[in-house]
Amino acid sequence: MNPAIDLLLTRRSVPPRLMIAPAPTVAEVETMLTIATRVPDHGRAVPWRFIVIGPEGGTKLGELIAATYQSDHPDATAATIETERSRLVRAPLVIAVVSHTHPHPKAPEWEQILSAGAAAMNLVLAANALGYCANWHTEWYAYDRRVTSELGLDDTERVAGFVHIGTPVEQPLERPRPSLSDVVVRYGSTGVSPYAGGGDK
Ligand SMILES: Cc1cc2nc3c(=O)[nH]c(=O)nc-3n(C[C@H](O)[C@H](O)[C@H](O)COP(=O)(O)O)c2cc1C
């Protein structure tokens, strides 16, 4: 089969706790980021940016995540706090995709947000295409201003996702997907083909 189609048909996320080294090389990270910026973007608004978080940054931010969690949950167990501390060092590499919307003559905010989602998905696919596994997470700290301020986000910016990237310990199992008949309808066509009316090739 066409390798690109094969990748798209079989892609699965891997939990960060099942990711190990090797991490992508510097050149591979540049390739991934280049692909992440190659997304539909109405009016060239460039409504996204990226923050690369390696082990050092993940350790530093993990301290803040743990402290923030502890201050909000004074009864949390030591084990839970440790889990929070490890959030961004489970995978060898994390890239935060930041939605950076701004007034634009052509692109409404909604379209700018969608473009950030496309950038995150392209990042996931680029990692997969280079042979790595990936997982798009947000978790509570993506929405916590104390954490996002530390990452340098301003009040207009939001974390679209923390994309975790690494090498899988094991290949993930398939999970159920919605049936096309549950999510696709045909509008305005009575052709034989269920889709464009072109018939089967
Ligand atoms: C915006 C967004 C945020 C997500 N955040 C989380 C998360 O915080 N934790 C989580 O376990 N999965 C999260 N997911 C789901 C995973 O990315 C992934 O889709 C899921 O594990 C299913 O795996 P699949 O990609 O193989 O279908 C999120 C997905 C999206 C689109």
Side-chain angles (χ1 to χ4, degrees):
M1 190 183 283
N2 173 325
I5 294 295
D6 192 39
L7 184 146
L8 293 168
L9 280 173
T10 59
R11 179 207 64 80
R12 272 240 56 199
S13 298
V14 170
R17 67 186 155 74
L18 297 180
M19 293 186 191
I20 54 173
T25 65
V26 171
E28 286 173 329
V29 172
E30 295 238 329
T31 300
M32 289 179 197
L33 291 169
T34 302
I35 291 168
T37 62
R38 197 178 175 91
V39 286
D41 166 17
H42 195 176
R44 295 187 202 166
V46 194
W48 21 254
R49 62 189 186 88
F50 306 87
I51 303 170
V52 178
I53 306 172
E56 204 179 333
T59 301
K60 185 175 174 203
L61 199 59
E63 293 298 333
L64 177 64
I65 290 172
T68 304
Y69 189 89
Q70 191 161 27
S71 106
D72 290 352
H73 304 86
D75 296 334
T77 64
T80 304
I81 302 297
E82 280 317 302
T83 300
E84 294 299 332
R85 199 186 311 282
S86 73
R87 286 281 197 180
L88 296 175
V89 290
R90 293 174 199 165
L93 176 69
V94 177
I95 299 180
V97 180
V98 178
S99 161
H100 171 69
T101 61
H102 46 88
H104 187 277
K106 283 188 179 167
E109 184 187 46
W110 169 234
E111 295 184 8
Q112 296 186 38
I113 294 168
L114 290 173
S115 185
M121 193 62 220
N122 256 24
L123 185 57
V124 168
L125 291 173
N128 293 158
L130 283 164
Y132 298 96
C133 59
N135 207 328
W136 175 353
H137 275 194
T138 42
E139 301 295 350
W140 64 269
Y141 46 87
Y143 301 98
D144 191 293
R145 196 74 194 98
R146 293 162 289 185
V147 175
T148 58
S149 288
E150 167 66 19
L151 279 172
L153 271 65
D154 68 29
D155 286 340
T156 70
E157 295 182 309
R158 280 182 280 188
V159 172
F162 290 101
V163 177
H164 298 246
I165 299 168
T167 300
V169 172
E170 61 194 41
Q171 290 305 319
L173 299 173
E174 186 49 304
R175 73 171 174 90
R177 303 285 167 178
S179 158
L180 286 190
S181 59
D182 289 339
V183 295
V184 180
V185 294
R186 183 178 55 183
Y187 170 77
S189 162
T190 54
V192 175
S193 160
Y195 300 118
D200 288 332
K201 276 202 271 185

